[in-house]
Amino acid sequence: MMQVTVKAHFNKQTKDSKKELVQFYVKGDDEKKPELNQLTREVVELGIEGVEQKLTCEFKKSAKDSKKTVLEFIVKGDTSAEHSYNFYKKAGSDITLHIIESQMDIDDFKEDQHEGIKYKVDKDGTASVNPDQMSLEDVENQDEAQVQAEPEPEKEQLKNAVSDESNEDPFSDNDLLD
C-alpha cells in the first residue's frame, strides 16, 4: 500500500450542497515526491499528525505553480461532522499530512455520492428544476391513487366468507359434531 508524508499548509476547507473539499499547499522538497502524482485520482485516507481521526477522500488533483503545489481532496459524503471536527480545527495552520492509499475503489467512492436534483439558477436568483421533476404533491397524489385502486382485503374476504357460508351461523358447533 502506497503512502506519503509531506509538510503542508492546510489552506482551506469548503462545503457546498454537493461536495466537501479540502485543500493543502506543499512547498520545498516534499513537492517533488513522486507518490503525490501516483496517488492523484485515487481514494486515500488523509491523516494529520496529532489528530486521531482520518478522512476518506478522493485525491482530486495536484497542481503545481512556481511557488507551491496545491493538493485538492473531495471528502467522502458520509463523513460525520463529529468525526471531522478535530481535523478541521487545524485549517489555516502548517501540518504534517499523511496521505495513505485506501482499500476503497474510486467507483465505490463515487457510488456513495448522490447527485440530488438538477437545477439551474436564473438571473433573478430563483432556482428552476426540470419540469418533468416529480414534486412532493405528485408523490402524495400517486400514493392516494394507489390506495384507492387497491381493494381492501378485509372487505373482499368478508364478502367471500358471507357468500360461501350463506346463512350458516359462524359460531355454531355443527362442524365439531361431524
Side-chain angles (χ1 to χ4, degrees):
M1 186 182 324
M2 190 183 313
Q3 67 179 41
V4 63
T5 300
V6 293
K7 297 278 186 205
H9 177 77
F10 191 159
N11 181 45
K12 68 180 177 180
Q13 174 247 337
T14 57
K15 188 173 187 171
D16 64 21
S17 61
K18 292 182 185 164
K19 64 180 179 255
E20 188 171 343
L21 181 98
V22 288
Q23 186 182 73
F24 301 91
Y25 292 163
V26 179
K27 295 180 180 177
D29 291 339
D30 285 348
E31 287 183 273
K32 298 177 182 83
K33 291 189 175 180
E35 294 91 342
L36 289 177
N37 289 332
Q38 293 166 354
L39 285 169
T40 304
R41 315 292 292 158
E42 294 292 331
V43 177
V44 296
E45 298 283 327
L46 287 185
I48 294 178
E49 204 163 276
V51 176
E52 196 177 313
Q53 292 85 0
K54 289 185 174 18
L55 290 181
T56 303
C57 305
E58 176 190 354
F59 190 163
K60 190 70 178 160
K61 68 179 180 182
S62 167
K64 194 171 191 154
D65 64 26
S66 60
K67 296 179 185 170
K68 65 189 174 303
T69 298
V70 178
L71 308 179
E72 284 189 1
F73 301 88
I74 295 176
V75 179
K76 188 172 186 317
D78 63 2
T79 303
S80 70
E82 171 190 330
H83 179 81
S84 58
Y85 176 72
N86 290 328
F87 202 90
Y88 296 130
K89 285 199 312 192
K90 299 282 187 179
S93 59
D94 292 328
I95 48 112
T96 300
L97 180 67
H98 304 284
I99 306 170
I100 304 146
E101 186 177 17
S102 175
Q103 300 295 326
M104 184 181 278
D105 187 79
I106 193 75
D107 294 330
D108 296 334
F109 180 88
K110 291 190 176 184
E111 269 178 28
D112 288 349
Q113 297 176 344
H114 59 86
E115 292 183 16
I117 298 174
K118 294 197 186 309
Y119 65 94
K120 183 173 66 177
V121 179
D122 299 326
K123 288 179 183 173
D124 64 357
T126 59
S128 301
V129 295
N130 181 336
D132 296 333
Q133 174 67 43
M134 187 177 242
S135 70
L136 289 175
E137 289 81 17
D138 296 337
V139 173
E140 288 172 7
N141 293 341
Q142 187 178 24
D143 288 346
E144 286 174 18
Q146 210 169 20
V147 167
Q148 290 171 357
E150 291 176 5
E152 293 182 38
E154 295 87 24
K155 285 184 181 175
E156 288 295 317
Q157 288 173 350
L158 280 175
K159 274 187 207 171
N160 293 340
V162 170
S163 64
D164 289 346
E165 297 176 12
S166 57
N167 293 328
E168 287 182 31
D169 181 5
F171 300 107
S172 77
D173 290 335
N174 289 347
D175 57 339
L176 295 175
L177 301 173
D178 291 338

